[in-house]
């Protein structure tokens, strides 16, 4: 017999009580790889900052391997890297986290997924969380990425590209919920 | 390497739509474009695995986290974490948060004129055991007003957050109590179109887990997405 899944409900305005005890804004710690910072803002349909959002992050290590038994790839695991982050926005809708540049991971068929970070987004007003991805604009693998290729309007792919800020290992990436610059979300 | 087997997609109506105008906050925040359908890759079927060391011994009993017992009707909330095929999901991290018995959250934004309880934080955490079971001791949360519409009150509820086996099995939801007269009036509870799915949000009174002289028991099983049986379901 198949059971129906429990429906999602919003995290509401007091999400910090439940999520703050496990906040992780430094995913890198002692892990191997190139340290990068990703920072940005979460904005609503009126362009106003969203102060009560939480981003959860999941990514492969520098070699492209996930710390999970179902990743049977041959790339090495890094015992110092879990790959999970939980990052709240502040009063101005800003977030910032440190991680290591993920390696490319296998995609469907014989494709290769460009380095990316999976984002699960929660906030008051969302009855169900949203999934999106962060890609790094300077990664040459982006051109062949099978998931970016699913986005029909090439202009919208840009909403998933984190832009390198001048000279630093820091990337800028915003989430826009509605409007012309609306971020691409995935039905997964 | 063969493509990974993904997880099942929700049947229509069993999960809320992002835009649900009766819930006012969804209007300015729900995306206006349909999400782009994507397959489940290795990035989606994997996810963080948290060990038992994540949970402290005081975290399953919210009534005894401070110097004196929390005020309110003590209750036990427990059940199993299962997938759609009824298989237990051991090791699932379950996080819980709620307001106190008077309907007030320990949060600077909650200005409801109801007393705070210095002995109640309202946060708990557990790891499901080998049979997928979890169990919390807490107080029954109060109903409280909110400004969604005129004379709006949230039914008593407890927020739950679960990490299943993969990142796409992630679930954050709310548990409600049976027979609550506020349920038919609540736009958040009523965002679920499918009546069978909606009933999943309501715990059952459970004499079996009730502890004599101590606390009433409520049973609430939580069902996460199951594995697709065939590649066609991906």
């Amino acid at each position: 017999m198949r059971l129906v899944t429990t429906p999602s409900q919003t995290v509401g305005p007091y999400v910090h009580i439940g999520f703050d005890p496990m906040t992780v804004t430094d995913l890198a710690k002692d892990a191997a790889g190139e340290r990068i910072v990703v920072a940005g803002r979460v904005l609503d349909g009126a362009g106003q900052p969203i102060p009560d959002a939480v981003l959860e992050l999941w990514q492969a290590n520098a070699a492209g391997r996930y710390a999970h038994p179902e990743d049977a790839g041959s790339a090495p695991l890094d015992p110092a890297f879990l790959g999970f982050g939980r990052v709240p926005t502040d009063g101005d809708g800003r977030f910032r986290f440190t991680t290591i540049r993920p390696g490319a991971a296998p995609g469907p068929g014989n494709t290769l997924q460009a380095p990316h970070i999976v984002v699960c987004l929660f906030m008051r007003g969302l009855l169900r969380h949203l999934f999106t991805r962060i890609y790094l604009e300077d990664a040459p693998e982006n051109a062949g990425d099978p998931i970016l290729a699913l986005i029909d309007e090439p202009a919208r792919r840009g909403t998933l590209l984190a832009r390198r800020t001048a000279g630093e290992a820091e990337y800028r990436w915003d989430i826009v919920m509605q409007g012309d610059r609306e971020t691409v979300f995935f039905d997964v | 390497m063969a493509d990974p087997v993904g997880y099942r997609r929700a049947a229509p109506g069993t999960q809320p739509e992002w835009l649900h105008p009766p819930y006012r906050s969804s209007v300015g925040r729900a995306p206006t474009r349909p999400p782009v359908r994507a397959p489940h890759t290795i990035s989606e079927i994997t996810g963080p695995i948290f060990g038992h060391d994540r949970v402290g011994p005081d975290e399953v009993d919210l009534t005894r986290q401070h110097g004196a017992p929390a005020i309110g009707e003590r209750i036990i909330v427990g059940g199993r974490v299962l997938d759609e095929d009824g298989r237990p999901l051991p090791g699932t991290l379950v996080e819980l948060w709620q307001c106190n018995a008077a309907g007030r959250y320990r949060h600077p934004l909650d200005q409801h004129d109801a007393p705070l309880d210095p002995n109640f934080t309202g946060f708990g955490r557990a790891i499901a055991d080998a049979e997928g079971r979890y169990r919390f001791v807490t107080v029954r949360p109060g109903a409280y007003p909110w400004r969604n519409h005129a004379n709006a009150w949230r039914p008593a509820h407890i927020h739950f957050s679960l990490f299943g086996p993969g990142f796409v099995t992630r679930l954050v939801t709310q548990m409600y109590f049976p027979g609550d007269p506020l349920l038919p009036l609540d736009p958040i509870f009523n965002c679920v179109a499918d009546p069978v799915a909606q009933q999943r949000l309501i715990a059952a009174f459970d004499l079996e887990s009730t502890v004599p002289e101590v606390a009433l028991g409520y049973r609430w099983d939580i069902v996460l997405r199951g594995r697709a049986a065939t590649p066609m379901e991906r």
Side-chain angles (χ1 to χ4, degrees):
Chain A
M1 194 191 75
R2 193 174 288 191
L3 304 172
V4 62
T5 52
T6 304
S8 175
Q9 297 271 272
T10 182
V11 293
Y14 310 119
V15 58
H16 299 303
I17 299 173
F19 278 20
D20 281 4
M22 205 168 72
T23 292
V24 179
T25 59
D26 181 3
L27 291 73
K29 294 198 179 77
D30 301 322
E34 179 195 342
R35 296 172 80 89
I36 58 171
V37 169
V38 180
R41 295 180 92 187
V42 184
L43 302 169
D44 72 10
Q48 294 300 307
I50 296 181
D52 48 8
V54 178
L55 287 71
E56 284 186 350
L57 313 165
W58 176 242
Q59 67 164 81
N61 68 19
R65 178 91 180 265
Y66 286 95
H68 189 279
E70 288 194 52
D71 186 346
S74 54
L77 278 170
D78 178 351
F81 192 72
L82 174 63
F84 173 74
R86 178 184 269 176
V87 183
T89 57
D90 69 12
D92 295 319
R94 292 181 197 283
F95 65 88
R96 181 185 182 86
F97 63 91
T98 304
T99 186
I100 50 107
R101 176 185 281 266
N110 287 316
T111 60
L112 193 66
Q113 299 190 72
H116 66 278
I117 302 170
V118 180
V119 179
C120 186
L121 178 65
F122 301 90
M123 65 180 71
R124 173 179 66 82
L126 282 187
L127 289 158
R128 184 177 175 184
H129 52 260
L130 283 164
F131 285 100
T132 184
R133 286 178 169 214
I134 303 171
Y135 287 85
L136 307 175
E137 67 160 347
D138 53 3
E141 299 96 332
N142 288 341
D145 183 84
I147 304 301
L148 282 175
L150 296 172
I151 302 167
D152 286 336
E153 299 165 63
R156 296 199 73 213
R157 291 176 199 160
T159 66
L160 304 189
L161 299 182
R163 320 257 169 206
R164 195 146 197 160
T165 55
E168 304 294 328
E170 179 163 333
Y171 292 83
R172 167 90 193 200
W173 183 70
D174 293 337
I175 297 177
V176 181
M177 301 308 297
Q178 299 178 346
D180 293 344
R181 297 191 300 133
E182 185 172 318
T183 300
V184 170
F185 297 102
F186 290 105
D187 170 13
V188 289
Chain B
M1 199 161 68
D3 287 353
V5 177
Y7 284 85
R8 291 192 195 111
R9 312 269 174 171
T14 61
Q15 291 287 338
E17 298 298 324
W18 285 280
L19 178 63
H20 181 64
Y23 173 39
R24 233 173 49 189
S25 298
S26 74
V27 174
R29 294 183 167 189
T32 61
R33 299 177 181 243
V36 175
R37 184 158 169 135
H40 294 176
T41 74
I42 192 75
S43 308
E44 283 79 27
I45 65 155
T46 56
I49 294 173
F50 301 106
H52 289 263
D53 57 338
R54 288 271 180 178
V55 176
D58 301 334
E59 294 190 324
V60 295
D61 187 346
L62 285 75
T63 71
R64 300 196 170 277
Q65 294 174 340
H66 300 276
I71 291 170
E73 179 192 343
R74 195 165 41 229
I75 58 170
I76 290 157
V77 176
R80 297 176 82 192
V81 185
L82 305 166
D83 71 10
E84 288 172 86
D85 297 304
R87 284 185 292 244
L89 295 171
T92 301
L93 176 65
V94 183
E95 299 165 299
L96 165 162
W97 73 100
Q98 65 169 83
C99 63
N100 68 20
R104 178 97 183 256
Y105 286 90
R106 182 170 289 283
H107 191 288
L109 290 180
D110 188 353
Q111 295 299 313
H112 175 37
D113 182 19
L116 281 168
D117 177 354
N119 293 306
F120 189 74
T121 301
F123 172 73
R125 185 156 51 181
I127 300 258
D129 73 10
E131 279 86 46
R133 290 180 201 284
Y134 72 93
R135 180 182 185 271
F136 291 100
V137 181
T138 184
V139 295
R140 188 183 171 110
Y144 58 84
W146 60 315
R147 292 178 178 162
N148 187 73
H149 54 274
N151 205 11
W153 292 76
R154 288 301 327 277
H157 62 276
I158 300 177
H159 296 265
F160 273 77
S161 154
L162 294 97
F163 287 85
F167 214 43
V168 286
T169 62
R170 187 86 177 84
L171 175 71
V172 178
T173 185
Q174 301 179 26
M175 185 205 94
Y176 300 93
F177 290 85
D180 191 326
L182 293 171
L183 287 174
L185 307 175
D186 183 52
I188 295 179
F189 174 71
N190 287 296
C191 71
V192 184
D194 182 289
V196 175
Q198 189 185 43
Q199 288 302 306
R200 270 241 176 278
L201 297 172
I202 306 176
F205 168 67
D206 183 31
L207 193 60
E208 204 171 305
S209 62
T210 293
V211 179
E213 315 285 329
V214 176
L216 293 179
Y218 288 88
R219 183 182 169 105
W220 194 50
D221 290 342
I222 305 161
V223 181
L224 304 184
R225 297 168 76 168
R227 262 314 151 100
T230 70
M232 295 305 287
E233 283 185 286
R234 272 179 225 172

